[in-house]
Structure formats: C-alpha cells, structure tokens
Amino acid sequence: MRLEGKTALITGGGSGIGLAVAERFVAEGAKVCITGRRKEMLEKVADKLPKGTVEVCSGDVSKEEDVKAMVDATVKFGGKLDVLVNNAGISMIGSITDLSMDNWLKTLSINLTGPFMMMKVAIPHMIKSGGGSIINIASVGGLRCLPERPAYCSTKAGLIMLTKQAAMDYGKDKIRCNVVCPGGVKTEMTEADFGQIGKMIGMETDAFVKEISLEMPLRRFADIHEMGGICTFLASDDSSFMTGAELVIDGGTAIVDVVGAGISGAVRRAGV
Ligand code: NAD
C-alpha cells in the first residue's frame, strides 16, 4: 500500500497504460480520478474497482475548461491532488509533407498542450497541499525517430523537456516531475498504428509486432501492467529524491544501434 492517503488524477485512464496505472494505484491504496473522452468506458472501469476508490470525469485534455473540470473533480473527490499522470495521447502517421495541418495541430494540442494545461491547473493545488508528483508519459519516440511520425515524436520530445522545466521550476515547492518513455506496449494505440502499417505490407498486426520484437533485447512488447510498477514508484515516496528524470521502459529497444539490429537480423535470417 505505497500510495495510501494519496489522491491521483490520470488522464486517458479508461484504456491501455492509463487503465493499468489506475488499477495499480487503487491496489496500492490511492484514491484515483480517471479522465478521458469516453464517459461510458470510464464508468465501466470504475464499476470494476472497489467502491469509493475511483471517480470519473469525462473531458478532453486539449480543452482548457475540461482540464479545469478534471482537476476540480479530483480535488472534490480526494480533498487534494498529490499525483498527476499525464497519460492521454494520440499518434498520427504521416511524414511532414503528408500530414495535414489539422492532424499536426491536433497532436500538438493533445500530446503537449494538454499536459501543459493539466500542470498549469494542477500545480497550484499541489503547492497548497505541500507538494506532489507529476508523471508524464512520453515515449522512446521522444528520444529517437520513428518512421513517418513527425508530430508524435516532436510532441513527445517536447513533453520530455516540459517535464524537466517543471522539475526545475517547482522543486522548491516539493513538486517532483518525471517522465516515463515506454517502448512498444500492447494497447489500442499500437493495434491501430501497427495494424495500419501491417495492412500496407500485407501482414497481420500480431505477426508484424512479433517480427519487430525480434530486434528488441527482451524480444517482446510490454504488457500494460508492466507500466503500473514504474508509475507507482514515481508516485510514491520511494522516489522522493528523483525529479526531472527520464525513465526508459522499453525492453531494451533504445540501447540497440541500427547497425547492431541490422547485423542480428541478417544473422537470424541466415539461420546461423
Ligand atoms: P490508448 O489509446 O489505449 O490510450 C490513450 C488514451 O488517451 C485513451 O484512453 C484515449 O481515450 C485518451 N485520449 C486521447 N485523446 C484524448 C483527449 N483529447 N483527451 C482525453 N483523453 C484522450 O493507448 P496507450 O498506448 O495506452 O497510450 C497511453 C500513452 O502512452 C500515450 O501518451 C502514448 O503516446 C504513450 N505510449 C504508448 C506506447 C505504446 O506502445 N502503447 C509507447 C510509448 C508511449
């Protein structure tokens, strides 16, 4: 029960990584407010968790009035706000010349402006109650390029820097801010992303994911529940001296050099 007595707000908490983090936070004793655009989905999640542990608030992280409503709902529910997990995000495929202006701006507003607004509204509450922990969910795509994802990778790189800026400016207020950079995790987002590429190259999503995994040190994508532990650590006092840190949780993807992946792929295909 490492989060006993804490109140957390998780954006995009109705599915994927956000849902797994919410379940884990509740299991660790926290009161959690989950937010997202799909009210029904959020309510279904809340129904499965112990009564009184979860509040839901539907809304869009790219809309200022919704952001205020999410923070207000959390403070009303838990009496304070100790932990903010900026998890909501989208991925749009398309190189710079192919991506529409609308999709570029939409990605920016959800992946980067959303967390900015959430922090802007949440931080004064954290200061009031003597501190807090902010956990931003970026991606290895914020550290290295992914093909045809200028908007996704640029916003995630921006989120990594925004995390460090928040850590710098609010450390004096006992607010810690860290960023998690996951690699491949099996969720709706990866289904959609890899499904789209799989279709282009005539491969089923699962087979395509398996093929990519062969170049990863752990040879697999993560299960959503593997993101719960790291967020619990960052939310809890176990990480009390950690702020501004980038935690790469990617089965080793980011340590593999492209030449190294090319060599191991060629050796594997040759069956040596
Ligand atoms: P997901 O699609 O299941 O989760 C994204 C959540 O964000 C959904 O619940 C969705 O409803 C919500 N969301 C989207 N736009 C929103 C908006 N405007 N307002 C409020 N909520 C909104 O996918 P996921 O993989 O669980 O993604 C969670 C986070 O993890 C994202 O930020 C994503 O970029 C990041 N991430 C995922 C992977 C991966 O492999 N799955 C890897 C690296 C980073």
Side-chain angles (χ1 to χ4, degrees):
M1 301 294 267
R2 287 190 286 170
L3 303 182
E4 186 101 64
K6 293 194 191 288
T7 304
L9 192 172
I10 303 172
T11 67
S15 66
I17 296 172
L19 168 61
V21 173
E23 288 173 344
R24 180 68 182 266
F25 277 15
V26 167
E28 296 280 356
K31 281 181 131 183
V32 177
C33 180
I34 50 170
T35 74
R37 291 159 307 168
R38 296 166 287 183
K39 194 165 186 243
E40 253 176 46
M41 188 182 234
L42 296 171
E43 281 168 352
K44 264 191 202 154
V45 170
D47 281 348
K48 286 189 194 139
L49 290 164
K51 261 203 160 24
T53 58
V54 178
E55 172 67 298
V56 305
C57 180
S58 59
D60 185 331
V61 292
S62 65
K63 293 188 178 148
E64 206 176 347
E65 63 276 19
D66 288 9
V67 165
K68 284 186 180 141
M70 292 175 203
V71 172
D72 285 349
T74 311
V75 174
K76 195 171 169 208
F77 175 57
K80 61 193 169 85
L81 173 54
D82 303 299
V83 182
L84 167 65
V85 184
N86 279 313
N87 164 76
I90 58 166
S91 167
M92 295 275 182
I93 300 180
S95 60
I96 294 173
T97 47
D98 293 337
L99 196 71
S100 69
M101 277 308 293
D102 275 357
N103 283 344
W104 166 261
L105 291 172
K106 190 175 175 193
T107 313
L108 259 180
S109 70
I110 295 173
N111 290 7
L112 190 55
T113 308
F116 171 80
M117 289 195 292
M118 292 297 311
M119 291 197 270
K120 194 173 175 59
V121 180
I123 285 172
H125 289 282
M126 290 180 169
I127 293 176
K128 216 162 129 188
S129 58
S133 170
I134 300 170
I135 303 163
N136 291 328
I137 309 296
S139 168
V140 283
L143 301 167
R144 304 242 199 295
C145 296
L146 296 167
E148 316 255 330
R149 281 170 185 74
Y152 187 74
C153 292
S154 306
T155 54
K156 293 299 187 180
L159 184 56
I160 293 169
M161 184 46 81
L162 186 61
T163 302
K164 295 177 184 179
Q165 188 66 45
M168 167 95 225
D169 292 341
Y170 296 99
K172 65 179 182 339
D173 299 303
K174 299 193 177 66
I175 296 172
R176 299 183 295 106
C177 187
N178 295 289
V179 59
V180 177
C181 298
V185 186
K186 280 187 224 143
T187 65
E188 276 179 29
M189 183 182 279
T190 38
E191 274 288 318
D193 247 37
F194 292 117
Q196 209 174 322
I197 305 168
K199 231 182 228 166
M200 272 163 47
I201 59 170
M203 267 179 108
E204 291 294 323
T205 315
D206 282 354
F208 182 45
V209 165
K210 203 168 166 196
E211 167 104 9
I212 306 169
S213 310
L214 291 174
E215 307 312 337
M216 293 166 63
L218 288 185
R219 307 283 194 275
R220 64 176 177 87
F221 273 36
D223 178 84
I224 51 170
H225 299 288
E226 292 178 281
M227 299 297 133
I230 190 69
C231 291
T232 300
F233 168 69
L234 290 175
S236 77
D237 299 339
D238 285 352
S239 58
S240 54
F241 200 54
M242 185 179 266
T243 195
E246 263 167 43
L247 287 100
V248 178
I249 312 293
D250 69 341
T253 315
I255 62 166
V256 181
D257 181 73
V258 280
V259 176
I263 295 169
S264 47
V267 168
R268 183 169 38 76
R269 280 189 295 277
V272 181

